[in-house]
């Protein structure tokens, strides 16, 4: 029966409970039967200016002895926020074994119907649009909204009835001014859960003071733009840091070279050798600082070696104390521990990131403890690096997301620190554990497998000083004068004959003009006009038997050399490292 009824009809108990609704309700209002089952006394689809009058009419009829009420008019909002006027009559009836009220609602006879088909087509088109489309009255109240708008606000259409755009704006006055001014404007709106959405609205005037507004949620796009800007800023800083570190590496290489030369020449002078050893130690520490800069710029040459976590923590202590400031105490406890296999620069980055995170979690000061020890796990022996702070801590939800890229619990920061640590540790065959509670601080444990056969704090034996395995002529190509001269001295001291060139052009000119044999070309990678790989290709055409050894401080250079089948020597290097690399290149 309900399907054949054209009017909008529904039955309620005297206490307002909806007992039955005709199927025509969806055709009239766009709401389903289930959505419409709200008492007419407080139904939010009823126009707010008519709600009190409708309630009084229902109460008067229920208290009277009449079987049928006089018709009364009431306005309602359909699912799309369009205002409709109905003439309603109430009849007494029985339903579900109790007295009830039957409401029969008919569209007002003079309700305009012209263009109904066009309106249906328009509505179908608008409802498929990605961005919410609104029709607003002169006072900013909703006359229509496409389904995407309630979804954006996390509300039902009935919760928007009788309201306007300004009612959901963080700054209502600014929205009202913008609607009166016209054009496009930005606004921030809040949804039902309290979340904020940054939107762009474009408005166009209609007749009778009405407005069409197209609202676009640009929150996600703005976040991506901010992340891109941050990434670009970090990339620019990384390039600067990498460039500075590269040049500094060259100077450290020069210092290290002459320290090695003097040490070899003055072995008998014990006091001088001790002084030179101190210079060498300072140079080594400076080289580690440049390695950290290159790690930050992601340009360091990755070289997994057997390293001691305790040594890394102890060697970084002075630099870390300067970094965290005087309000925070840094305590380092590095106990005897087997060695692990990883890239030293990356492990230094792990320690640095964890300490910086702890510092940022303690704005009022406190203490950070770094502890290194050996532990036995079911998988075997592991070195454990622990960083413990007394900071604000994290909730369980924040702990589960802590290693996600760009996730941060602070207003500042990129959210990349712990995600970088996570990647480095897993790349090195280890794993990460995090324990934190709000108000009690955070503990991060890094577990790395111990290399089998390494003893605890076994002192490294001094590598033998190498000399030339056989006479050879080496073409040295390096545009930095101090580096070129120092490497020249080292190679000659090792027993090789050296031809030095300050540019790729000079090196090519020598090969074309001279018939002298060249056994090996040792070239820098980054040089003006032509890089080391391009030079190698040209040299091999002129001297097919010439071996190639490339040197650089950039990771990309190492990758390029490996792809081209060229041996690589990372800067800065010691005399022993140079001797071993040259010997391997000549013998290979």
């Amino acid at each position: 029966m309900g399907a054949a009824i054209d009017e909008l009809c529904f039955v309620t108990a005297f206490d307002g409970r909806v007992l039955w609704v005709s199927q025509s309700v969806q055709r009239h209002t766009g709401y389903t039967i289930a959505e419409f089952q709200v008492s007419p006394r407080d139904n939010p689809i009823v126009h707010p200016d008519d709600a009190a009058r409708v309630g009084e009419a229902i109460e008067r009829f229920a208290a009277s002895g009449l079987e049928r009420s006089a018709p009364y008019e009431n306005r309602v909002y359909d699912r799309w926020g369009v205002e409709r006027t109905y003439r309603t009559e109430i009849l007494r009836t029985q339903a579900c074994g109790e007295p009830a009220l039957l409401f029969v609602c008919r569209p007002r006879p003079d309700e305009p119907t012209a263009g109904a088909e066009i309106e249906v087509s328009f509505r179908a088109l608008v409802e498929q649009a990605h961005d919410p489309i609104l029709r607003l009255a002169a006072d900013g109240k909703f006359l229509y909204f496409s389904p995407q708008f309630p979804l954006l606000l996390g509300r039902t259409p009935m919760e928007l009835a009788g309201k306007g755009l300004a009612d959901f704006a963080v700054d209502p006055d600014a929205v009202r001014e913008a609607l009166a001014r016209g054009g496009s404007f930005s606004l921030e709106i809040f949804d039902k859960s309290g979340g904020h959405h940054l939107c762009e609205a474009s408005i166009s005037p209609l007749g009778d003071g009405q407005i069409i507004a197209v609202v676009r949620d640009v929150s996600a796009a703005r976040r991506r733009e901010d992340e891109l800007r941050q990434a670009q800023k970090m990339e620019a800083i990384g390039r600067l840091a990498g460039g500075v570190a590269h040049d500094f590496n060259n100077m450290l290489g020069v210092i290290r070279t002459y320290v090695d030369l003097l040490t070899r020449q003055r072995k008998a002078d014990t006091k001088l050798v001790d002084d030179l050893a101190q210079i060498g130690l300072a140079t080594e520490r400076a080289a580690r600082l440049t390695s950290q800069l290159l790690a930050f710029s992601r340009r360091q040459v990755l070289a997994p070696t057997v390293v001691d976590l305790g040594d890394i923590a102890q060697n970084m202590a002075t630099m870390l104390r300067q970094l965290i400031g005087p309000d925070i105490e840094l305590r380092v406890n590095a106990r005897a521990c087997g060695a692990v296999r990883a890239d030293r620069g990356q492990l230094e980055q792990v320690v640095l990131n964890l300490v910086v995170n702890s510092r940022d979690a303690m704005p009022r000061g406190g203490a950070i403890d770094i502890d290194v020890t050996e532990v036995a796990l079911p998988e075997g022996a592991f070195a454990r690096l622990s960083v413990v702070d007394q900071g604000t801590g994290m909730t369980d939800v924040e702990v589960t997301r802590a290693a996600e890229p760009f996730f941060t619990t602070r207003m500042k920061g990129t959210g990349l620190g712990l995600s970088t640590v996570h990647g480095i540790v897993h790349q090195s065959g280890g794993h990460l554990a995090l324990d934190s509670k709000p108000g009690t601080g955070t503990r991060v444990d890094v577990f790395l497998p111990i290399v089998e056969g390494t003893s605890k704090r076994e002192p490294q034996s001094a590598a033998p000083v190498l000399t030339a395995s056989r006479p050879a002529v080496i073409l040295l190509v390096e545009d930095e004068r101090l580096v070129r001269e120092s490497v020249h001295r080292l190679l000659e001291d090792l027993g090789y004959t050296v031809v030095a060139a300050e540019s790729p052009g000079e090196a090519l000119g020598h090969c074309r003009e001279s018939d002298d044999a060249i056994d090996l070309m040792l070239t820098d990678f980054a040089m003006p006009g032509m890089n080391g790989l391009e030079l190698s290709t040209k040299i091999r055409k002129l001297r097919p038997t010439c071996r190639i050894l490339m040197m650089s401080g950039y990771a990309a250079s190492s990758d390029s050399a490996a792809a081209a089948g060229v041996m690589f020597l990372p800067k800065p290097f010691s005399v022993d490292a140079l001797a071993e690399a040259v010997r391997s290149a000549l013998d290979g």
Side-chain angles (χ1 to χ4, degrees):
M1 177 179 175
I5 298 176
D6 184 60
E7 294 89 352
L8 168 58
C9 300
F10 55 94
V11 175
T12 73
F14 273 74
D15 61 5
R17 288 176 292 116
V18 177
L19 303 176
W20 173 84
V21 180
S22 68
Q23 293 186 17
S24 60
V25 64
Q26 193 158 5
R27 184 171 68 256
H28 279 275
T29 68
Y31 291 108
T32 64
I33 292 175
E35 291 172 328
F36 194 81
Q37 289 183 341
V38 182
S39 170
R41 290 177 173 83
D42 55 4
N43 196 318
I45 75 168
V46 175
H47 195 290
D49 293 343
D50 295 349
R53 181 170 54 80
V54 169
E56 291 172 2
I58 296 172
E59 297 295 340
R60 282 198 308 271
F61 177 73
S64 72
L66 299 175
E67 293 294 323
R68 188 186 194 100
S69 75
Y72 64 87
E73 290 190 353
N74 62 288
R75 292 170 292 173
V76 301
Y77 290 102
D78 65 17
R79 187 182 187 88
W80 305 278
V82 177
E83 182 184 306
R84 304 288 185 186
T85 302
Y86 285 87
R87 293 175 65 95
T88 302
E89 292 181 89
I90 312 174
L91 295 85
R92 293 183 187 275
T93 187
Q94 289 282 328
C96 302
E98 62 179 305
L101 301 176
L102 169 62
F103 292 79
V104 180
C105 309
R106 300 180 179 87
R108 194 171 64 182
D110 59 349
E111 184 81 2
T113 59
E117 293 183 2
I118 296 177
E119 181 178 341
V120 170
S121 299
F122 164 76
R123 182 173 294 168
L125 178 64
V126 168
E127 289 178 5
Q128 298 303 314
H130 178 269
D131 297 324
I133 299 176
L134 318 175
R135 188 168 73 192
L136 307 174
D139 60 358
K141 299 295 183 183
F142 298 129
L143 298 177
Y144 167 84
F145 43 78
S146 62
Q148 287 78 8
F149 192 65
L151 290 175
L152 175 63
L153 297 180
R155 300 176 183 272
T156 66
M158 287 188 287
E159 291 177 293
L160 274 58
K163 300 185 181 297
L165 186 59
D167 294 316
F168 302 98
V170 174
D171 188 348
D173 293 335
V175 171
R176 294 187 188 98
E177 292 175 5
L179 291 174
R181 183 175 63 249
S184 299
F185 62 95
S186 299
L187 73 156
E188 192 172 358
I189 59 179
F190 54 86
D191 58 29
K192 192 172 184 177
S193 64
H196 287 197
H197 301 263
L198 182 62
C199 298
E200 296 286 345
S202 177
I203 60 177
S204 302
L206 293 175
D208 301 327
Q210 295 182 9
I211 298 169
I212 286 288
V214 179
V215 179
R216 170 166 293 182
D217 183 2
V218 297
S219 304
R222 289 294 174 85
R223 283 194 298 270
R224 288 193 294 270
E225 289 174 4
D226 291 342
E227 290 169 2
L228 177 60
R229 279 194 291 269
Q230 180 68 12
Q232 290 172 334
K233 181 171 68 175
M234 296 297 289
E235 176 66 19
I237 295 173
R239 287 179 180 275
L240 174 63
V244 170
H246 177 263
D247 291 341
F248 194 42
N249 253 348
N250 278 337
M251 297 304 100
L252 290 175
V254 173
I255 297 171
R256 176 184 280 179
T257 296
Y258 286 110
V259 166
D260 286 344
L261 287 170
L262 285 172
T263 301
R264 288 158 60 88
Q265 293 170 3
R266 306 284 179 148
K267 289 181 182 179
D269 191 337
T270 306
K271 188 175 185 306
L272 177 60
V273 169
D274 289 342
D275 291 343
L276 290 172
Q278 292 301 313
I279 297 174
L281 181 61
T283 304
E284 184 65 30
R285 292 183 62 183
R288 288 176 183 172
L289 288 176
T290 61
S291 176
Q292 290 168 15
L293 283 174
L294 288 167
F296 168 72
S297 66
R298 298 185 300 279
R299 297 183 179 193
Q300 81 276 30
V301 177
L302 299 181
T305 56
V306 176
V307 295
D308 190 312
L309 271 177
D311 286 342
I312 290 176
Q314 293 283 13
N315 289 332
M316 293 183 69
T318 301
M319 183 270 291
L320 292 173
R321 288 189 176 97
Q322 295 173 344
L323 178 69
I324 61 180
D327 296 334
I328 297 177
E329 179 185 3
L330 180 70
R331 300 182 293 227
V332 180
N333 180 24
R335 284 165 280 184
C337 181
V340 301
R341 181 174 295 278
D343 182 273
R344 186 182 187 95
Q346 285 194 329
L347 291 185
E348 290 173 342
Q349 187 176 359
V350 165
V351 176
L352 180 65
N353 285 2
L354 293 179
V355 170
V356 168
N357 280 354
S358 293
R359 178 202 64 184
D360 292 344
M362 297 190 295
R364 295 181 178 84
I368 300 174
D369 289 285
I370 300 177
D371 182 81
V372 179
T373 188
E374 184 173 322
V375 296
L377 299 179
E379 301 90 338
F382 278 73
R384 183 184 67 194
L385 167 72
S386 303
V387 178
V388 184
D389 65 53
Q390 303 168 349
T392 54
M394 292 181 284
T395 65
D396 291 343
V397 173
E398 290 169 341
V399 167
T400 60
R401 298 190 58 197
E404 293 180 10
F406 301 111
F407 177 78
T408 177
T409 59
R410 306 183 303 273
M411 292 300 293
K412 62 179 181 178
T414 64
L416 292 173
L418 200 57
S419 65
T420 300
V421 169
H422 181 272
I424 291 173
V425 171
H426 278 259
Q427 187 180 30
S428 303
H431 61 274
L432 202 65
L434 194 154
D435 182 43
S436 184
K437 297 293 180 185
T440 62
T442 299
R443 176 190 180 102
V444 181
D445 290 319
V446 173
F447 297 90
L448 293 171
I450 289 175
V451 177
E452 188 175 353
T454 58
S455 61
K456 299 179 179 181
R457 300 297 178 100
E458 181 178 311
Q460 296 287 330
S461 58
V465 177
L466 301 175
T467 57
S469 58
R470 60 181 175 84
V473 177
I474 297 177
L475 174 61
L476 171 64
V477 189
E478 168 64 64
D479 60 305
E480 178 63 48
R481 181 181 64 83
L482 290 177
V483 176
R484 185 174 65 254
E485 291 177 354
S486 64
V487 176
H488 190 163
R489 282 281 307 276
L490 272 181
L491 291 171
E492 285 187 335
D493 197 62
L494 289 169
Y496 296 108
T497 301
V498 182
V499 177
E502 66 178 15
S503 68
E506 184 178 342
L508 289 170
H510 175 80
C511 291
R512 292 190 185 103
E513 297 167 7
S514 173
D515 294 330
D516 295 342
I518 296 177
D519 301 290
L520 172 71
M521 180 177 71
L522 173 60
T523 178
D524 191 22
F525 179 85
M527 294 180 291
M530 185 185 305
N531 65 40
L533 283 182
E534 294 170 334
L535 174 61
S536 300
T537 302
K538 295 180 182 295
I539 290 292
R540 278 172 169 165
K541 291 180 179 178
L542 296 172
R543 302 295 176 94
T545 61
C546 180
R547 303 296 179 90
I548 306 296
L549 176 60
M550 192 169 302
M551 53 184 174
S552 177
Y554 286 127
S557 307
S558 173
D559 297 338
S560 300
V566 174
M567 290 192 63
F568 185 79
L569 176 63
K571 288 182 177 180
F573 45 78
S574 65
V575 60
D576 295 331
L578 174 65
E580 175 61 28
V582 170
R583 171 176 285 189
S584 298
L586 288 170
D587 295 344

